[in-house]
Amino acid sequence: MLESSLPFLNIYNKLKTMKKQMLSEQFKRMQKLAGIVEVSNPYSVTWLEPDDAYFEQELDELTGNDMRFSKEEFFNSQNYDKVYSLLPHTFKMIAEHSIGSEIQNLKEIKDILLNKDISDLMDDWNNFRKILMKDTKSQNEVINLFKKGKVEEWDNKKILQTRGMGKLTNQQPHIKDTTSSGLIKQIGDDPDMQGYKKNVQDFKNEKHRKLPLPFVLRLPSGGREGNEYTLIGGHKRSTIAAQLGLQISVWFIDLK
């Protein structure tokens, strides 16, 4: 009797197995239709720690950017003394250029710069910034400030608290198709968006990229617009990396 029932048991087990497979495939199809199926990311990135040569390349993001020398950042009353201790020659150059004469008194430098914007101090910033960026002492001060940084992973919570950082779709809400091809198509020929487009295209072509770390600064007062941190270099590459779902690491300069 037992032997005669074996063929039926085999058939039953096969049908049971087939049913499980069909249910599994059906479940996967439902996940895909619902947009919740997990797909492995075809892209990856290695963030490269900066060296002196790269610090020199990034001088424009600090000494060449009037947003740094402002009442919201370096010249803010909460930040002034800390930043002055790191950039005394640079501050002196700005103050002297503002009044057109040499200054020896530290208090006078502070009285001139404190809670001021560059536009309050001079009307020829575009020319003066070139002088500032070529000044050897100022360059050394900024490079030494950069060297105070360290590598840190930047999670989503910190990204949301960092001015200038985040996904492209957060900055350009009209972009709906977030595939690499979709991003390239929607950016199109917009002249202001070509840097983003190139970063997407490079990821699409290379799959794995080695990129310099974005630079993030924290001042005692925090950042602008209620943020805790400020991205001061690497906006486009970090934006596209975040958009493609990659882990962000930064060169974090903490002056708080």
Side-chain angles (χ1 to χ4, degrees):
M1 181 73 178
L2 181 61
E3 290 181 0
S4 63
S5 65
L6 284 176
F8 296 102
L9 286 172
N10 290 337
I11 293 172
Y12 173 78
N13 288 331
K14 286 181 180 180
L15 289 172
K16 190 175 180 180
T17 300
M18 289 173 63
K19 184 177 180 180
K20 285 183 179 179
Q21 290 175 343
M22 290 174 65
L23 287 172
S24 176
E25 290 174 4
Q26 185 178 7
F27 181 68
K28 287 178 181 179
R29 284 197 297 270
M30 290 173 67
Q31 281 186 313
K32 188 173 182 180
L33 288 171
I36 59 174
V37 64
E38 292 186 7
V39 180
S40 61
N41 195 330
Y43 307 116
S44 59
V45 62
T46 297
W47 295 107
L48 303 175
E49 190 168 331
D51 55 16
D52 284 1
Y54 186 69
F55 287 143
E56 290 178 11
Q57 291 178 34
E58 290 294 297
L59 286 173
D60 185 60
E61 300 291 350
L62 202 149
T63 47
N65 191 332
D66 59 347
M67 290 182 70
R68 305 289 84 85
F69 303 107
S70 66
K71 61 189 175 188
E72 291 193 69
E73 295 192 21
F74 290 178
F75 298 157
N76 182 280
S77 59
Q78 295 181 60
N79 307 327
Y80 183 93
D81 291 342
K82 178 69 176 183
V83 183
Y84 177 81
S85 70
L86 300 169
L87 307 176
H89 176 75
T90 302
F91 275 38
K92 186 173 184 287
M93 281 187 69
I94 294 171
E96 288 180 340
H97 184 77
S98 177
I99 65 171
S101 62
E102 291 187 3
I103 304 171
Q104 300 303 327
N105 189 303
L106 299 184
K107 183 179 182 302
E108 188 178 355
I109 295 174
K110 188 170 184 177
D111 288 342
I112 292 168
L113 301 181
L114 189 64
N115 290 322
K116 299 285 179 37
D117 289 324
I118 282 292
S119 59
D120 300 324
L121 301 169
M122 63 186 73
D123 56 10
D124 60 345
W125 167 252
N126 286 334
N127 291 325
F128 177 69
R129 67 189 287 272
K130 297 173 185 176
I131 298 170
L132 195 63
M133 289 174 62
K134 290 179 181 178
D135 185 88
T136 303
K137 287 185 178 179
S138 182
Q139 287 179 3
N140 289 336
E141 286 181 346
V142 173
I143 289 172
N144 287 333
L145 186 154
F146 282 155
K147 287 181 176 179
K148 290 185 173 294
K150 61 181 180 179
V151 180
E152 282 200 21
E153 286 194 0
W154 221 240
D155 60 25
N156 288 333
K157 183 178 178 180
K158 286 183 176 178
I159 289 173
L160 290 172
Q161 295 174 339
T162 305
R163 186 183 186 277
M165 185 174 275
K167 293 181 179 180
L168 185 63
T169 46
N170 294 341
Q171 305 161 36
Q172 303 287 332
H174 67 279
I175 293 178
K176 303 301 182 186
D177 186 345
T178 57
T179 63
S180 56
S181 297
L183 291 169
I184 291 169
K185 183 178 180 180
Q186 288 168 100
I187 289 171
D189 297 325
D190 185 336
D192 297 326
M193 300 287 288
Q194 296 310 297
Y196 301 101
K197 184 177 181 179
K198 183 180 185 306
N199 271 278
V200 178
Q201 188 66 62
D202 288 345
F203 268 113
K204 188 175 181 182
N205 293 341
E206 301 170 28
K207 299 298 186 285
H208 178 78
R209 299 184 67 197
K210 295 180 179 180
L211 297 174
L213 286 159
F215 282 20
V216 171
L217 175 69
R218 178 164 65 172
L219 294 165
S221 67
R224 292 170 180 259
E225 300 164 4
N227 293 291
E228 181 70 12
Y229 314 98
T230 300
L231 180 71
I232 62 171
H235 167 71
K236 293 182 178 65
R237 60 180 175 270
S238 65
T239 294
I240 296 306
Q243 185 64 60
L244 296 176
L246 303 176
Q247 170 64 50
I248 305 297
S249 295
V250 306
W251 184 252
F252 181 40
I253 306 163
D254 191 2
L255 301 185
K256 193 162 186 176

